[in-house]
């Protein structure tokens, strides 16, 4: 009865989608537990290339796919993604949405944009999908949930009350036009009609699967360094991306969680504002961006690229208690002569291995690098660890040592088979 979590260990975009698509072949259920359609999970498989934002990346396999209570659901986006995968012959009858999931409403998207504009130079660089305002409403008890779509009378009453408050802010604070109750209500009633068959109580479905000894994969979104508690706050997202949030976000006991995989990119990237201590504003950064096509799957923005940061990665390993590390995109580094790994931060005249809470301190951290030789060999066709060039194995081994976590899988390309297994992943 194991639950297995796949968690972003950096600032998102680590390749969780391709890993979940692969591991989903071995499990009975895949469940998203946090975030919303700010996620952009790229999956390349025999059916094509997909950029999924809400749909669990397991949808292409035999597993039941669930969007858990911890996710904020944009119904319009979900309907679009259902249509997208169905147009490739994928059945979506196995998709279930938690009735407790909060919904993204049109005013969340509007307020996300208005708040960002008013932040000016201090903008977070959000995805503009309404994520922050939706999670704020959940905490403020102003949320509208999936279950509400199924109760016309309640939905209207609730929307009337909430929209009055939102319109007061939209008009009074931002001087924008109010949203119409009728328009939003009619739109959401339609969404309810379309999504109704998918909306159910899900924590019991997941618990019963675990009790049957089915394997349940909990699919993380975003990454540990975007987590509002342990990331680079306030330059973070608004829901927890951590392993400890996974159980809450799907409604199961933490005692079920047996394997926790952290997905680390072989280098670091970040999209949006906030500290990235190892950022490379030079030719190497540009080379990584071009070779890795490092552009946001959700917004198309160029991703900022930098060396592997073992201080941030170790912080992530400790907070999540990873039982295994998965390193993605090793092949992107194939052409480099030398590589750097950040092994400490120089701060206030000393060197620290701790990841500071203070954003001002993080912005002042100067990385201390250890230089390693590159392998200057194509790794894309390699499938066995021992066949990797010695320099690549040394790079992996050094990361393993610095983050104190065994590396269990390494990806050397974006297609399903471009993967090296070092240990069995997903036990019985
Ligand atoms: P996946 O699941 C990378 C970033 C945004 C911004 C900050 C806040 O694909 O790894 P938000 O819209 O959440 O309020 O934006 O978080 N961000 C991500 N960056 N990958 C993601 O998801 C992200 N989801 C949010 O760029 O800096
Ligand atoms: Mg992404």
């Amino acid at each position: 009865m194991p639950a297995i979590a796949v968690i972003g260990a950096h600032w998102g975009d680590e390749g969780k989608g391709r890993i979940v698509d692969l591991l989903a072949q071995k499990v009975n259920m895949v469940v998203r537990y946090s975030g919303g359609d700010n996620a952009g999970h790229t999956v390349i498989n025999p059916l094509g290339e997909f950029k999924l934002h809400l749909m669990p990346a397991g949808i292409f396999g035999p597993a039941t796919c669930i969007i858990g209570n911890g996710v904020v659901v944009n119904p319009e986006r979900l309907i679009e993604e259902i249509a997208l995968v169905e147009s490739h012959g994928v059945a979506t009858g196995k998709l279930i949405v938690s009735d407790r999931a909060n919904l993204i409403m049109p005013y969340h998207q509007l307020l996300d944009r208005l708040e960002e504009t008013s932040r000016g130079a201090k903008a977070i660089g959000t995805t503009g999908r309404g994520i922050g305002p939706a999670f704020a409403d959940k905490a403020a008890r102003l949320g509208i949930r999936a279950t509400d779509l199924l109760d016309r009378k309640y939905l209207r009453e609730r929307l009337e009350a909430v929209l009055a408050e939102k319109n007061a802010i939209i008009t009074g604070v931002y001087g924008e036009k109010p949203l119409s109750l009728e328009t939003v209500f009619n739109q959401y009633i339609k969404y309810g009609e379309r999504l109704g068959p998918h909306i159910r109580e899900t924590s019991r479905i997941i618990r019963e699967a675990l009790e049957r000894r089915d394997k349940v994969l909990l699919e993380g979104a975003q990454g540990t360094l975007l987590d509002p508690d342990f990331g680079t706050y306030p330059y973070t997202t608004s829901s927890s991306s951590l392993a400890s949030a996974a159980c809450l976000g799907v409604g199961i006991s933490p005692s079920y969680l047996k394997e926790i995989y952290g997905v680390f990119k072989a280098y670091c990237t970040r999209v949006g504002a906030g500290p990235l201590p190892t950022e490379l504003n030079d030719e190497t950064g540009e080379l990584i961006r071009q070779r890795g096509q490092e552009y946001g799957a959700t917004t198309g923005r160029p991703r900022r690229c930098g060396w592997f940061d073992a201080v941030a990665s170790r912080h992530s390993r400790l907070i999540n208690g990873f039982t295994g590390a998965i390193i993605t995109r090793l092949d992107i580094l194939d052409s480099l002569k030398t590589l750097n790994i950040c092994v400490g931060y120089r701060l206030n005249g000393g060197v620290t291995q701790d990841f500071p809470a203070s954003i001002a301190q993080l912005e002042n951290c100067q990385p201390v690098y250890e230089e390693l030789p590159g392998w200057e060999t194509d790794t894309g066709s390699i499938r066995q660890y021992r066949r990797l060039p010695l320099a690549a194995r040394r790079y992996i081994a050094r990361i393993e040592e610095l983050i104190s976590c065994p590396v269990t899988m390494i990806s050397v390309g974006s297609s399903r088979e471009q993967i090296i297994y070092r240990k069995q992943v997903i036990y019985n």
Side-chain angles (χ1 to χ4, degrees):
M1 48 176 195
I4 304 129
V6 172
I7 311 281
H10 287 160
W11 284 272
D13 302 331
E14 301 90 348
K16 297 176 292 292
R18 68 100 65 221
I19 297 296
V20 170
D21 169 62
L22 187 69
L23 299 182
Q25 312 302 315
K26 299 186 182 187
V27 303
N28 309 86
M29 201 174 261
V30 178
V31 195
R32 275 272 313 260
Y33 66 82
S34 69
D37 62 326
N38 49 349
H41 295 174
T42 305
V43 171
I44 301 176
N45 62 26
L47 293 176
E49 176 170 344
F50 301 88
K51 292 191 189 308
L52 303 176
H53 301 286
L54 259 180
M55 184 73 83
I59 194 72
F60 302 100
T64 300
C65 285
I66 297 186
I67 296 179
N69 52 280
V71 177
V72 286
V73 176
N74 178 331
E76 187 180 9
R77 175 95 44 212
L78 185 58
I79 292 166
E80 276 168 23
E81 290 192 358
I82 291 174
L84 171 75
V85 299
E86 280 183 349
S87 73
H88 286 79
V90 175
T92 56
K94 59 186 179 177
L95 172 74
I96 314 175
V97 180
S98 166
D99 52 4
R100 290 185 163 84
N102 275 246
L103 300 177
I104 301 238
M105 305 299 291
Y107 42 82
H108 293 139
Q109 295 168 75
L110 176 61
L111 286 167
D112 194 355
R113 284 191 288 275
L114 295 171
E115 287 168 9
E116 276 285 86
T117 308
S118 79
R119 285 183 194 116
K122 298 259 187 249
I124 294 164
T126 71
T127 58
R129 296 289 171 88
I131 305 295
F135 279 111
D137 272 2
K138 177 177 177 179
R141 293 151 296 188
L142 290 172
I144 293 181
R145 304 191 299 168
T147 185
D148 304 338
L149 292 179
L150 309 177
D151 183 339
R152 213 184 159 90
K153 184 165 170 284
Y154 180 77
L155 178 65
R156 198 181 169 94
E157 277 168 25
R158 181 80 173 150
L159 191 58
E160 200 165 358
V162 175
L163 195 57
E165 193 164 329
K166 296 295 161 188
N167 275 337
I169 298 170
I170 291 166
T171 56
V173 176
Y174 295 105
E176 293 282 326
K177 283 200 211 102
L179 300 183
S180 138
L181 172 66
E182 288 313 317
T183 309
V184 178
F185 175 69
N186 289 331
Q187 201 177 16
Y188 276 68
I189 283 293
K190 279 210 187 88
Y191 295 151
E193 283 163 5
R194 175 68 188 86
L195 293 176
H198 296 279
I199 298 172
R200 288 166 66 186
E201 204 292 321
T202 51
S203 72
R204 177 173 171 174
I205 296 174
I206 302 167
R207 190 172 61 246
E208 286 179 355
L210 288 163
E211 290 300 328
R212 281 198 298 275
R213 306 191 67 78
D214 277 3
K215 290 173 187 159
V216 175
L217 183 66
L218 307 178
E219 176 183 353
Q222 289 77 55
T224 303
L225 304 169
L226 289 173
D227 179 80
D229 283 86
F230 290 96
T232 51
Y233 189 84
Y235 296 97
T236 61
T237 190
S238 303
S239 67
S240 178
S241 8
L242 305 183
S244 40
C247 297
L248 176 62
V250 308
I252 58 166
S253 158
S255 61
Y256 288 112
L257 196 53
K258 294 292 182 260
E259 293 174 53
I260 307 170
Y261 294 101
V263 187
F264 299 76
K265 231 178 230 181
Y267 44 96
C268 283
T269 63
R270 167 162 210 168
V271 60
L276 177 63
T278 61
E279 183 165 11
L280 289 165
N281 289 307
D282 62 5
E283 285 166 18
T284 311
E286 193 50 35
L287 184 138
I288 294 174
R289 183 174 309 114
Q290 291 314 327
R291 245 186 97 87
Q293 279 303 294
E294 293 291 357
Y295 295 90
T298 301
T299 56
R301 293 176 289 180
R303 294 180 185 141
R304 300 154 62 198
C305 301
W307 294 119
F308 188 89
D309 184 338
V311 177
S313 300
R314 188 169 152 272
H315 165 76
S316 178
R317 138 86 172 115
L318 295 172
I319 292 296
N320 288 289
F322 296 137
T323 57
I326 298 173
I327 302 217
T328 57
R329 317 214 80 190
L330 186 72
D331 55 300
I332 302 304
L333 304 177
D334 281 354
S335 66
L336 298 176
K337 256 194 171 46
T338 55
L339 298 155
N340 284 336
I341 296 182
C342 168
V343 294
Y345 292 156
R346 200 163 280 122
L347 182 68
N348 303 330
V351 172
T352 178
Q353 260 84 38
D354 293 331
F355 192 72
S358 150
I359 209 77
Q361 283 187 10
L362 259 174
E363 273 162 355
N364 284 325
C365 281
Q366 292 302 318
V368 178
Y369 286 122
E370 197 172 284
E371 193 181 274
L372 280 87
W375 43 94
E376 297 179 89
T377 313
D378 254 340
T379 55
S381 58
I382 297 173
R383 301 288 175 268
Q384 286 166 310
Y385 188 68
R386 62 188 169 84
R387 299 230 183 263
L388 277 177
L390 181 62
R393 279 181 281 147
R394 287 210 168 125
Y395 184 67
I396 300 285
R398 187 65 184 127
I399 289 176
E400 210 165 32
E401 192 173 50
L402 287 164
I403 65 172
S404 316
C405 185
V407 171
T408 52
M409 279 164 85
I410 300 157
S411 89
V412 290
S414 45
S415 66
R416 252 188 204 165
E417 66 282 358
Q418 288 179 295
I419 200 97
I420 297 170
Y421 287 95
R422 280 186 78 198
K423 295 199 166 64
Q424 194 195 341
V425 173
I426 304 189
Y427 305 98
N428 291 315

